[in-house]
Amino acid sequence: MTEILLTIFFISVLLFFLGSGIWVALSMIGVSAIGMMLFTSRPVGDAMATTIWGTSSSWTLTALPLFVWMGEILFRTKLSENLFKGLSPWMQKLPGGLIHVNVVGCALFAAISGSSAATVATVGKMSIPELRKRNYPEKILLGSLAGSGTLGLLIPPSIILIIYGVAVQESIAKLFIAGIIPGIMIALIFMSYVIIWSLINKKSMPKIIEEYSFFEKIKRSKQLLPVIILILAVIGSIYTGIATATEAASLGVVGALILSYFQKSLTFKTFKSSLLGATKTSCMIAFILAGSTFLSLAMGFTGLPRNLALWIQNMELSPYVLIFVLMIFYIILGMFLDGISAVVLTMAIIEPMIRQAGFDMIWFGIFLVIVVEMAQITPPVGFNLFVLQGMAKKDMGYIARSAFPLFLLMVLAVILVVIFPEIALWMPEQMIKNIN
């Protein structure tokens, strides 16, 4: 009963702060300070200063601003134009036609961005006008873009996986590699849905007008080659053990700068705006993470996470029931919070439960990110829906309905990852063998 009352107290105070418009990070710090003052005899100021400094000065966290900066640089290049020109000749003869550009383009940009919103914005700013010009149905156009944009959270380098790794003290490199096969799997599931939808709705799909020879396809795709080489260099250096996640991020930034220079999109203005964009995003995330760490410390002092984990254990839930409950919990939470906030707010309580249940923390990180991806396309706070609403000038409800089938497909992806954990764990295991 004490644990339940403590949990209700912490959640009530946190919801009050969040509801009053206080920043997420400050809300977490406020809840932590109140909890420590009321329920422990520890010095609040000393604990807060030590914890926040310890989190902020973590070497592991260095990869975060570098990967964010790499995405910001490439966001300001001609990448969206090149993605469409390079992919459309190869995709147009598949059932579903150029709708596949949304899925494959998002998967490719996800491998250099790490942000769901940036992925939707980059691919959408070129594909929406082009596909509308060719009279593709709005429902499948916007739905595929909203769903595929979520791959920015899973396919490495993923910002949210860095946050999760720091929060639970797991290897960022292993988490990145673990996200590759699930990310590809989800992209293939989305492409299969587009094929099936287009075959059922044949009359709504436009006829193919452009014809390309094999050499013309190669010629149109050559501008994508440097980006693909950069992706392979970053991910490959981590997988083979040549570089850590932080070193690979440095390689990615240098590669992005070189690429944008040769594309003639690297001006002082774009360099400055990419640097400022990366700084703002990184500071926001670091601040949230610092607040989360202090909240974890405060809860640890009260004994709440340990006792709650024991309480869950005593309920004797089967692992599958626990995972199902957590999936529903994070989907509901994601309706009101962004993905990063949802993860850092809950890790202090969820981590002991997961470890107690015997789940692999690398596997759980991938499970968690897929579930958080689902929340990106659920109203009222589905960030991909907001981005698309601004770009497509459509009603939020219409976009949410268009994205709903892809939400169900992500539920299918979660089920597959739960039943076959090797989907997430096989590549990290191979990476360890390669390094050894």
Side-chain angles (χ1 to χ4, degrees):
M1 183 58 70
T2 307
E3 287 77 32
I4 295 171
L5 291 173
L6 264 177
T7 305
I8 292 170
F9 171 78
F10 274 112
I11 292 171
S12 301
V13 175
L14 184 60
L15 289 175
F16 172 76
F17 283 152
L18 291 171
S20 60
I22 298 172
W23 292 353
V24 172
L26 288 177
S27 297
M28 288 190 287
I29 290 170
V31 170
S32 309
I34 292 169
M36 284 187 70
M37 283 188 289
L38 291 179
F39 303 112
T40 74
S41 57
R42 305 274 180 167
V44 179
D46 292 350
M48 180 165 58
T50 307
T51 306
I52 290 177
W53 169 251
T55 304
S56 304
S57 60
S58 166
W59 173 250
T60 312
L61 207 56
T62 315
L64 174 66
L66 291 171
F67 277 126
V68 173
W69 191 20
M70 182 177 96
E72 288 280 345
I73 294 165
L74 291 170
F75 179 67
R76 288 164 174 80
T77 64
K78 296 175 182 175
L79 184 58
S80 63
E81 185 182 332
N82 293 343
L83 277 172
F84 193 86
K85 284 182 179 176
L87 292 173
S88 55
W90 301 96
M91 301 293 152
Q92 64 172 356
K93 288 199 173 179
L94 289 172
L98 298 183
I99 296 294
H100 292 290
V101 173
N102 281 346
V103 182
V104 180
C106 284
L108 276 176
F109 189 76
I112 49 179
S113 167
S115 163
S116 179
T119 301
V120 171
T122 303
V123 177
K125 72 180 176 184
M126 180 57 68
S127 76
I128 289 174
E130 289 289 342
L131 295 183
R132 277 179 170 172
K133 193 165 68 179
R134 291 166 171 80
N135 296 316
Y136 277 90
E138 287 281 308
K139 188 177 181 182
I140 190 70
L141 191 169
L142 298 178
S144 63
L145 191 54
S148 304
T150 63
L151 293 170
L153 293 178
L154 180 61
I155 295 177
S158 163
I159 293 170
I160 201 165
L161 282 177
I162 297 176
I163 301 303
Y164 173 81
V166 172
V168 301
Q169 298 183 337
E170 288 290 343
S171 165
I172 306 295
K174 286 182 189 175
L175 284 164
F176 276 6
I177 298 305
I180 295 174
I181 292 179
I184 293 170
M185 178 189 75
I186 292 172
L188 290 174
I189 289 172
F190 287 169
M191 289 181 76
S192 303
Y193 166 70
V194 170
I195 289 170
I196 293 165
W197 191 95
S198 65
L199 291 174
I200 293 170
N201 299 275
K202 252 184 181 175
K203 292 179 181 177
S204 305
M205 300 299 288
K207 303 293 180 190
I208 299 166
I209 1 175
E210 299 120 323
E211 287 289 338
Y212 298 96
S213 69
F214 179 75
F215 291 105
E216 283 175 324
K217 290 178 181 178
I218 296 290
K219 189 178 177 183
R220 284 177 69 100
S221 302
K222 69 179 182 181
Q223 289 173 313
L224 277 181
L225 192 61
V227 177
I228 293 169
I229 291 170
L230 179 61
I231 292 167
L232 293 175
V234 171
I235 303 303
S237 64
I238 297 173
Y239 181 74
T240 56
I242 294 170
T244 63
T246 305
E247 291 162 350
S250 306
L251 173 70
V253 169
V254 172
L257 287 169
I258 293 170
L259 192 61
S260 59
Y261 173 77
F262 282 109
Q263 285 188 349
K264 295 182 171 54
S265 58
L266 183 64
T267 62
F268 179 73
K269 185 181 178 182
T270 57
F271 178 81
K272 182 182 173 184
S273 59
S274 71
L275 199 54
L276 284 173
T279 303
K280 287 175 184 175
T281 303
S282 303
C283 287
M284 179 267 291
I285 294 169
F287 194 23
I288 290 174
L289 193 58
S292 162
T293 311
F294 185 40
L295 183 60
S296 301
L297 180 76
M299 286 188 167
F301 283 151
T302 63
L304 179 59
R306 183 183 66 255
N307 293 328
L308 205 56
L310 288 171
W311 180 59
I312 297 286
Q313 185 187 8
N314 292 334
M315 288 173 68
E316 296 182 352
L317 295 175
S318 72
Y320 286 123
V321 173
L322 177 60
I323 285 297
F324 176 75
V325 169
L326 288 175
M327 182 178 80
I328 301 298
F329 169 70
Y330 276 107
I331 290 172
I332 294 170
L333 195 64
M335 290 181 180
F336 307 98
L337 290 172
D338 67 280
I340 291 171
S341 300
V343 170
V344 295
L345 273 171
T346 55
M347 268 306 104
I349 293 177
I350 300 298
E351 184 188 353
M353 289 186 206
I354 295 304
R355 292 194 187 275
Q356 188 72 44
F359 288 107
D360 186 289
M361 293 306 291
I362 299 291
W363 174 86
F364 183 73
I366 302 306
F367 162 83
L368 182 60
V369 170
I370 297 174
V371 175
V372 169
E373 279 182 347
M374 293 156 67
Q376 296 289 302
I377 53 174
T378 53
V381 190
F383 279 80
N384 286 14
L385 304 181
F386 280 120
V387 173
L388 271 178
Q389 187 184 29
M391 294 176 72
K393 309 298 180 193
K394 286 281 184 180
D395 175 67
M396 174 73 82
Y398 179 84
I399 299 171
R401 288 192 298 275
S402 302
F404 184 67
L406 287 96
F407 173 88
L408 296 178
L409 292 174
M410 279 191 267
V411 174
L412 171 64
V414 169
I415 293 168
L416 290 173
V417 169
V418 171
I419 296 172
F420 305 107
E422 296 81 10
I423 293 171
L425 295 176
W426 183 77
M427 280 196 77
E429 287 167 2
Q430 299 306 307
M431 182 181 81
I432 294 166
K433 288 178 187 175
N434 288 338
I435 293 170
N436 293 337

